Amino acid sequence: MFEKLQRLGKAFMIPIAVLPIAGLMLGIGAAFTNPLMVETYGLTGILGEGTFLFYVLSTMSAIGNIVFSNLPLIFAVGIASGLALQEKGAAGLSASIAFLVMHTIISTILGFLGHTPDTTSVEYFLSIGLDPVEAAKQANVYGYELGIFTVRIGVLGGIIVGLLVAFLANRYYDKKLPEALSFFSGVRFIPIISVLAISIIGVIIPFIWPYIHIGISTFSEFFGRTGPIGMFFYGTLMRLLNIFGLHHAIYPLFWYTSLGGELEVAGKLVQGGQSIFFAQLADPTVTQFSAEATKYFTGGYLPMMFGLPAAALAMYRTADSKNKKIVGGLLFSAALTSFITGITEPIEFTFLFVAPLLYGIHAVLEGISYAVLYALDVAVGVTFSRGIIDFTLFGLLQGNDKTNYIWILILGIPTAIIYYYVFKILIVKLNLKTPGRGEDSENKLYTKKDALLKDIDIEEVISALGGRENLVDVDACITRLRVTVKDTSIVAEDSIWKEQLKAKGIFKMGSGVQVVYGALAEILKNEINRIK
């Protein structure tokens, strides 16, 4: 299960990887074409309607918006190609075809059942006696996908298509058919079997989705009614799952599906927290972003921009005097990465393995951040992570009236103080071996240059993984080498990875192995795949 979840998380990252640039284009385009901002700062002559920059920025906004408007298809193709072990291109193409077929079949079945745009509207449900709330819920079950009248299965539909096609591609990529049908063997069989399989699912969905949709909406409402308490547990859990890289398999469900809520924006029902935010960002009539939508990610700004940099300062201040010069630059670099980009693993993994208690406290503090910012109605959006870049684009430039971003700045200093003193006191009182403390402390964060030139021998890494014959699949995320092996019992122990192979740590579960290497992970993956 661990191995499958880590692969799923990695597959999720493929479609998600295109979203930061789309979000940046939408954020910049929407911010600098907003009439209120243009008039407030007297920029009509430069950015006003009809100017060259207005056309450029409007185009950027449209490009970003079209990506977020078609996330279901993007997820279908991305997951299918990401999970396919062979013939990834064929899997991606098959997923796009299957996605269209599924919604076409759903639309056809809805027609047979008498469900049309007219008989699924709020007005129709009101006319047959439903109360306004129930009428809205029933109407929200139905909508459009790529111009096809269908059920609002959204990104979840894309995930279903992606998973199914990947499974079929991995099973039938080398399928041999009888001689008369040999042309359709192998890779050509993938779209055929995908269409046949998704057709069955397409027939079933119209009968069961209305009940599933209502159930998800009810659960989402229940989760919302838990208020700050619910967000505390969500934020804490996501940070703990980050240890194993499994958060990638969970948070997209809240960011891009109806599990993260539904809201009508510009006359269109939008599902998922991040999707709602960017739909509102593209709508110039929105005067305040929905904190109900952004509650699944805004809480990360306080620990990423203020908390962890302060923790890095605490580790520096508690380091042995002789080591401060060595660890100072490294910790500063990791802290700056967290502050600017919101990428936290370089700094988190400096204390996760040597002082897991600190990581547990960090997770709790992040949960509190989620709860507090949600309670204060803060609604600052996110592309990929929560650093000063995203804060500027989706907080400062959007204005406090829309986002309540001021609370992040107000609470930033108290957050930093809490992190600093909690970390400093615990490090000193418990004599925790954070970077620079003790004779045998590791006083470096490993760089690409270290690995490529002298520190890591690829053959030794492969040997530590049990040898070439033990490798099934080698992949990587931002900071971890993710490997599926035949036998984890012959994978080297943690001490060997740390002392000889310069890793920060290793996780083994089922047939999945994750080795924490920071920015080296992608390089090592490429090198292992090149020579294995």
Side-chain angles (χ1 to χ4, degrees), residues 120-202:
T120 56
S121 64
V122 173
E123 292 75 16
Y124 174 80
F125 288 119
L126 287 173
S127 70
I128 61 175
L130 297 183
D131 63 73
V133 174
E134 189 61 29
K137 283 186 177 182
Q138 292 295 333
N140 287 347
V141 172
Y142 307 94
Y144 288 87
E145 193 67 66
L146 298 177
I148 305 170
F149 176 69
T150 181
V151 295
R152 292 187 190 275
I153 196 169
V155 168
L156 185 58
I159 293 172
I160 292 171
V161 170
L163 292 174
L164 176 65
V165 172
F167 169 77
L168 295 173
N170 289 333
R171 182 161 184 171
Y172 295 111
Y173 74 93
D174 57 352
K175 175 71 174 178
K176 290 181 173 58
L177 297 176
E179 187 65 28
L181 301 174
S182 60
F183 176 79
F184 301 104
S185 297
V187 67
R188 298 183 185 89
F189 188 67
I190 297 175
I192 296 173
I193 191 64
S194 297
V195 167
L196 293 175
I198 205 65
S199 297
I200 297 173
I201 292 176

Side-chain angles (χ1 to χ4, degrees), residues 223-466:
F223 195 79
R225 285 196 296 269
T226 61
I229 295 176
M231 296 322 301
F232 165 77
F233 285 108
Y234 173 85
T236 301
L237 177 63
M238 287 299 104
R239 186 49 53 191
L240 292 175
L241 288 176
N242 182 61
I243 296 174
F244 306 101
L246 298 183
H247 61 303
H248 291 310
I250 305 297
Y251 79 78
L253 300 178
F254 290 92
W255 286 26
Y256 307 115
T257 78
S258 55
L259 194 61
E262 298 177 325
L263 188 69
E264 186 172 309
V265 183
K268 180 181 178 182
L269 192 72
V270 184
Q271 299 176 335
Q274 193 184 65
S275 299
I276 292 172
F277 174 80
F278 281 107
Q280 290 188 320
L281 185 66
D283 183 1
T285 66
V286 173
T287 57
Q288 186 174 18
F289 296 129
S290 169
E292 283 295 325
T294 62
K295 65 185 179 183
Y296 298 107
F297 39 80
T298 297
Y301 277 106
L302 289 177
M304 292 179 182
M305 288 177 56
F306 301 98
L308 287 172
L313 178 60
M315 287 187 280
Y316 168 74
R317 294 292 298 275
T318 55
D320 296 341
S321 298
K322 63 180 181 180
N323 293 326
K324 281 187 175 181
K325 186 175 181 180
I326 299 174
V327 302
L330 300 171
L331 288 172
F332 175 78
S333 175
L336 194 63
T337 298
S338 179
F339 178 76
I340 293 176
T341 69
I343 296 175
T344 61
E345 288 178 315
I347 188 169
E348 286 173 333
F349 285 114
T350 62
F351 61 83
L352 169 60
F353 297 106
V354 295
L357 173 64
L358 294 180
Y359 193 91
I361 291 173
H362 163 49
V364 171
L365 291 174
E366 180 153 332
I368 293 173
S369 173
Y370 271 81
V372 170
L373 292 185
Y374 173 56
L376 293 172
D377 210 31
V378 180
V380 179
V382 169
T383 52
F384 174 74
S385 203
R386 281 135 286 196
I388 190 63
I389 296 174
D390 277 7
F391 179 73
T392 300
L393 283 175
F394 307 117
L396 293 177
L397 290 180
Q398 307 308 321
N400 191 61
D401 290 341
K402 278 189 173 184
T403 63
N404 274 336
Y405 74 77
I406 194 66
W407 282 110
I408 294 177
L409 298 179
I410 292 173
L411 296 173
I413 300 303
T415 299
I417 292 173
I418 291 171
Y419 265 84
Y420 176 78
Y421 281 105
V422 168
F423 271 63
K424 182 178 179 180
I425 291 170
L426 288 175
I427 290 171
V428 173
K429 293 292 185 182
L430 301 179
N431 194 27
L432 301 175
K433 300 301 181 182
T434 49
R437 286 178 58 80
E439 294 295 331
D440 58 346
S441 65
E442 292 188 84
N443 300 325
K444 66 181 296 182
L445 299 176
Y446 299 101
T447 64
K448 295 180 182 180
K449 182 179 179 181
D450 290 331
L452 292 177
L453 294 182
K454 59 182 179 181
D455 281 354
I456 301 175
D457 187 304
I458 298 299
E459 290 293 346
E460 290 183 7
V461 172
I462 293 175
S463 177
L465 289 168

Side-chain angles (χ1 to χ4, degrees), residues 193-213:
I193 191 64
S194 297
V195 167
L196 293 175
I198 205 65
S199 297
I200 297 173
I201 292 176
V203 170
I204 296 172
I205 285 177
F207 296 97
I208 64 172
W209 181 250
Y211 304 102
I212 296 175
H213 186 276

